[in-house]
Amino acid sequence: MSLQYSTTLRNNQLGQVQSTIGTSPHMIIYTGSAPANCAAAATGTTLVDITLPSDWMNNPSSGSVTKLGTWTGTASGTGTAGYYRVYDSGITTCGIQGTVTATGGGGDMTLDNTSIASGQQVTISTYTISAGNS
């Protein structure tokens, strides 16, 4: 049998995401496929570096947590968004990485548009992290 966690435990686990990564982290969006894990060096071209709000995640509920506030930034590169990483405020430690899709595409994170041009305003449409068995 696989493990089953209570909703309270799943919510508490998700609450650690923001507290571990810290306030005002950076979400950096890159071209190409994600590296094997967060510890591996980033690949692809940096498209945009978005400094997230100090309090950047809502309170976890029902085993999921969503973005808080508006997440936007101005692109510094041109290309198709493939993956993202969330770093601490000093951009020294990657805490999360995942895939990017256009709105309605069903990836870990959705953008208003995955085709990015330098100087373009980039908006994160949705961002949700779900705990196991939620």
Side-chain angles (χ1 to χ4, degrees):
M1 175 173 140
S2 59
L3 294 174
Q4 296 288 313
Y5 297 124
S6 70
T7 300
T8 300
L9 179 58
R10 291 193 318 259
N11 289 342
N12 288 341
Q13 289 173 326
L14 289 169
Q16 289 299 306
V17 171
Q18 180 168 286
S19 62
T20 299
I21 294 172
T23 60
S24 303
H26 289 254
M27 175 175 277
I28 301 178
I29 301 172
Y30 300 91
T31 60
S33 299
N37 55 55
C38 273
T43 58
T45 301
T46 299
L47 296 174
V48 62
D49 177 350
I50 300 171
T51 302
L52 303 182
S54 180
D55 187 12
W56 52 284
M57 298 298 285
N58 284 301
N59 291 326
S61 176
S62 302
S64 293
V65 65
T66 58
K67 76 179 190 79
L68 178 62
T70 302
W71 297 6
T72 61
T74 303
S76 60
T78 299
T80 302
Y83 75 101
Y84 70 91
R85 285 182 159 192
V86 178
Y87 292 91
D88 60 7
S89 63
I91 314 177
T92 56
T93 303
C94 173
I96 303 170
Q97 78 174 14
T99 58
V100 176
T101 59
T103 301
D108 303 324
M109 178 186 65
T110 57
L111 296 175
D112 55 338
N113 181 4
T114 58
S115 180
I116 296 172
S118 183
Q120 172 186 332
Q121 187 77 6
V122 177
T123 300
I124 308 300
S125 302
T126 62
Y127 186 73
T128 302
I129 301 172
S130 295
N133 78 278
S134 58

